Amino acid sequence: MTLYHTIPLHIPQSVFGVIITLQTPQPAPFNLIMQERTFRQVGSHFAVGCEVRLFVARDVRYSMANFGVLTKYEDYTLYNFKIADYGHDDMLVQVKVQSLDRKAYTEAFMEADLRRDTVDFLGASPYIELQAYDEGVSEGIARWYRGDFHSHTTVSDGHATKAENDTMAKDAGLDFFHATDHTVFPTGWAATEGVSVLPATEITTPYGHFNYHFSTRSPFDGLPPVTPMSETTLLAFFHALSASNRRGLLAINHSLMPPWDMTLQDFPMTLCHTMEVITDPGYRTATLASAKALKVWSRLWNWGNDIVGIGASDNHFKKGEAYDGALTPSCIGIPSTYVLSRGNGLAALRQGFVEKAVSFCERGLPSMVFTDSAINGEHAGQNAVGRAVDLKEGELCFEWIGGAGYHQWVVDGRVVQSVPGTLSTFTFNQNDGAWVRVDVRDHTGRYIGSTNPLRFKSVTPRRTTWGEATQQRKLRGVLFDKDGTLIQFSDLWADATTTFIATLCDDPDARQRALSAVGIDDDGVRPGSPLAAGTLDEIAAVLCAVTGKDVDGHAMETVYGDYMTQHPEVIRPAGDIAALFTALKAQGLAIGVVSSDNHTLIEYTLDRLGVRDMVDGIYSGDRYPAKPDPTVVYKAAEDFGLDTEELAVVGDSPCDMFLGYYAGCAIGVKSDVSDEFLMRNNCDRYVETVDEVARYFSA
């Protein structure tokens, strides 16, 4: 980590506590670690904003979460570390230190409502008193219980009190949630009718955040404090925690979501039971982070590391609040994780969770059941390894209750079937792979949830680390979108479509309705509209419905083909495409073009650009499923003799980026019809012009 600031502090013995205020002129990340003169860590804190206040006292009860006490020493140092790919190199900070006596300090501390239930990472915390918790209901027949595995309150850095969090959980229809305030293990929680609150904590470190679920004992109790904080001492702590047999289950949180992503590369995956695949979907980088986590989750299952995947809100806010730049407000229960259990108490939920009877989604309940009567219709995840591993074949039924969009049957990490709607069956065979899972997506192709996999062929688990599981393959091929990426978009499609609609509609109002329906308005072509992202068949279907005229995809192909032949000047390159392709070929990369266009129109365009001979594969809308279906990525990898993770996808729309998630890298290009904010937050790399792509690969 790079150091932003080193702030020396002198705190005389006569001072009971200090309030340290740090301010910046614009929102920025504070990644703070405080040490005494012997380099013993006093505490750490992470926040994003314009101001942060630290409360540290001689009495641990009056130090904020994740901080210990002031010691006999009077000299301390506060460090502010830069987090990779987040924040500003020229971050300015003003520091104010208030040294207070006991009375003044405790009054300020109580007013800030920072009281906590127990001491934290730097000391021992007591066993939990289970009677302080609502043990929930116990039923004879298992059913799905809806919950959230990650939430915060004013006990750490949340905005809502415990009572407000309870109310929000009840209003959201949750049956349970885990109380995961930063490095604080709660010893009591007021009961809320119908909602079970489960003890947990978020182990918060500069190298990543980890939740500890389903334990009745603090993970910090009886273990050596992690001081000074380092990768070595943290790994030693996790090994000691695993060996302590306190029945808790360790989860990796928001693992690939900067600036809180996991960077502990040598972390052994054998120490981990759970990983968050989706975290707070409203956050600006959540879509990309979830797509990356989904690939890592699949890779771990392929290696025999059967990690349970969950969704979690990581909610820090009161109802209606959100991060700056968030797409939607954060809310407890979005996404929800469902556990098939005989109750919503700790023991019953833990049993269902260990059996992998778990699914998660932003909206609705995705579930997978056996249809074979010999299995008695029980959930596919329940006792999956013990019950299903010996089955040679069988039929599964998927249902997405309350969902909308489409779903994908995934075998060994590869989509084998995409199905519109919320219900389908699938026949699995042991010869086809080792495990099966169902992913659900909204109508745009954005990933929003999964069932947990069913393993029906056992493999020896591979001993691997987080660094190995997240290592990116070297890119050896690239797939380019055409319109808006290789050629300027509006010059061709808007002109040709406007001319064609004029032949269909004599009435000006009817023409305007048709133009609006396909996606043309006064500002040009709307991002995400049928004209911007649809196939020729989809554009034709819209025109047919609006105008009442008989229009089909073949007619549209003729329209656009004739227009390009008559007006070749509309094919305007978005950059020096010949030089770009020549540079990529010199680096040994295979090149493909993926477009919703028909094959003949793509070839004509490439001929006009003078690059047809450098293109190794064309994947058109009339021969392959429309983007973002992964079929074209699988076919290109096969044609080029590459792994899918050795391919990059370059495009100018979120649809192109969703396609890139099935490959190894998604590169976004600025264009006339792209939403720059969405593109920047949904791609691995964003470039202003397509010419910059060659420099990315050479680097």
Side-chain angles (χ1 to χ4, degrees), residues 400-424:
W400 185 9
I401 302 170
Y406 67 96
H407 59 279
Q408 299 169 314
W409 291 93
V410 179
V411 175
D412 293 357
R414 186 183 179 102
V415 176
V416 296
Q417 188 176 334
S418 294
V419 185
T422 60
L423 183 68
S424 70

Side-chain angles (χ1 to χ4, degrees), residues 266-287:
D266 292 333
F267 178 82
M269 295 309 297
T270 53
L271 301 180
C272 174
H273 183 277
T274 312
M275 68 176 287
E276 290 179 0
V277 181
I278 300 178
T279 309
D280 190 1
Y283 192 69
R284 59 184 178 82
T285 59
T287 298

Side-chain angles (χ1 to χ4, degrees), residues 130-140 143 145 174-177 189-199 341-349:
L130 283 178
Q131 62 269 25
Y133 286 84
D134 177 8
E135 277 298 278
V137 300
S138 180
E139 300 179 356
R143 69 171 180 87
Y145 286 87
L174 299 188
D175 299 303
F176 70 93
F177 69 90
W189 200 289
T192 299
E193 183 180 358
V195 181
S196 176
V197 184
L198 305 180
S341 171
R342 287 180 168 81
N344 67 342
L346 186 147
L349 287 169

Side-chain angles (χ1 to χ4, degrees), residues 481-485 487-490 492-494 497 515-521 524-536 538-540 542 560 594-597 626-628 651-656 671-675 679:
D481 168 59
K482 179 172 70 69
D483 299 299
T485 302
I487 63 173
Q488 297 178 29
F489 186 92
S490 299
L492 168 61
W493 294 98
T497 305
L515 288 168
S516 179
V518 297
I520 300 175
D521 54 30
V525 179
R526 290 195 309 274
S529 64
L531 192 58
T535 65
L536 297 185
E538 290 169 341
I539 297 170
V542 171
Y560 294 121
V594 181
S595 174
S596 300
D597 271 3
K627 295 180 291 187
D652 69 316
S653 72
C655 184
D656 296 322
S671 79
D672 294 337
V673 297
S674 65
D675 184 316
M679 290 296 294

Side-chain angles (χ1 to χ4, degrees), residues 43-327:
S44 63
H45 184 71
F46 180 85
V48 176
C50 292
E51 179 179 294
V52 63
R53 289 200 302 166
L54 307 179
F55 287 75
V56 193
R58 304 279 175 198
D59 186 332
V60 71
R61 294 174 299 174
Y62 295 101
S63 287
M64 67 187 296
N66 212 25
F67 273 81
V69 297
L70 300 174
T71 65
K72 62 182 180 180
Y73 299 103
E74 296 187 341
D75 294 316
Y76 300 82
T77 305
L78 183 64
Y79 299 99
N80 188 22
F81 290 95
K82 175 178 171 57
I83 295 179
D85 301 324
Y86 197 89
H88 312 284
D89 290 332
D90 57 349
M91 176 182 176
L92 301 176
V93 62
Q94 290 183 330
V95 182
K96 177 183 177 182
V97 180
Q98 295 172 269
S99 300
L100 304 174
D101 60 21
R102 176 182 284 272
K103 183 176 184 299
Y105 178 88
T106 54
E107 287 178 354
F109 184 81
M110 299 298 281
E111 183 179 353
D113 194 21
L114 292 172
R115 289 168 294 175
R116 55 189 184 173
D117 297 304
T118 182
V119 297
D120 55 36
F121 213 168
L122 303 174
S125 57
Y127 286 84
I128 193 166
E129 298 177 4
L130 283 178
Q131 62 269 25
Y133 286 84
D134 177 8
E135 277 298 278
V137 300
S138 180
E139 300 179 356
I141 300 176
R143 69 171 180 87
W144 289 104
Y145 286 87
R146 181 184 176 195
D148 196 333
F149 279 71
H150 196 166
S151 64
H152 293 273
T153 70
T154 53
V155 171
S156 59
D157 61 345
H159 293 186
T161 64
K162 288 181 177 181
E164 289 171 330
N165 218 39
D166 290 352
T167 299
M168 289 191 297
K170 185 174 182 179
D171 292 345
L174 299 188
D175 299 303
F176 70 93
F177 69 90
H178 287 262
T180 56
D181 278 303
H182 291 285
T183 323
V184 175
F185 196 74
T187 56
W189 200 289
T192 299
E193 183 180 358
V195 181
S196 176
V197 184
L198 305 180
T201 186
E202 183 168 19
I203 302 170
T204 307
T205 82
Y207 308 101
H209 296 188
F210 308 80
N211 276 345
Y212 194 62
H213 300 118
F214 295 115
S215 178
T216 59
R217 185 180 178 186
S218 165
F220 316 119
D221 182 26
L223 297 182
V226 182
T227 178
M229 175 66 73
S230 69
E231 293 186 31
T232 301
T233 57
L234 187 58
L235 286 171
F237 168 80
F238 284 127
H239 279 288
L241 178 61
S242 177
S244 66
N245 296 319
R246 55 192 73 190
R247 292 178 56 79
L249 304 178
L250 190 68
I252 300 176
N253 299 345
H254 36 69
S255 56
L256 292 157
M257 181 187 287
W260 306 285
D261 47 333
M262 161 79 151
T263 61
L264 197 61
Q265 300 299 306
D266 292 333
F267 178 82
M269 295 309 297
T270 53
L271 301 180
C272 174
H273 183 277
T274 312
M275 68 176 287
E276 290 179 0
V277 181
I278 300 178
T279 309
D280 190 1
Y283 192 69
R284 59 184 178 82
T285 59
T287 298
L288 177 62
S290 297
K292 289 183 174 181
L294 185 65
K295 286 195 287 190
V296 172
W297 188 32
S298 293
R299 186 179 299 167
L300 288 168
W301 270 77
N302 284 341
W303 293 348
N305 295 272
D306 294 357
I307 302 293
V308 176
I310 61 173
S313 71
D314 190 14
N315 183 49
H316 285 68
F317 297 122
K318 294 184 178 183
K319 187 174 183 179
E321 294 180 341
Y323 289 103
D324 291 338
L327 303 178

Side-chain angles (χ1 to χ4, degrees), residues 562-575:
D562 290 347
Y563 194 89
M564 282 192 291
T565 301
Q566 297 165 14
H567 303 276
E569 71 279 2
V570 299
I571 301 178
R572 298 176 183 173

Side-chain angles (χ1 to χ4, degrees), residues 478-487 489 493 532-533 574 577 580-581 591-597 602 605-606 609 619 627 648-653 655-657 659 667 669 671 673 679 690:
V478 56
L479 300 176
F480 285 93
D481 168 59
K482 179 172 70 69
D483 299 299
T485 302
L486 296 179
I487 63 173
F489 186 92
W493 294 98
I577 307 304
L580 169 63
F581 280 21
I591 297 175
V593 174
V594 181
S595 174
S596 300
D597 271 3
I602 299 173
T605 301
L606 296 176
L609 295 174
Y619 306 94
K627 295 180 291 187
V649 173
V650 181
D652 69 316
S653 72
C655 184
D656 296 322
M657 299 303 95
L659 181 68
I667 302 174
V669 180
S671 79
V673 297
M679 290 296 294
V690 72

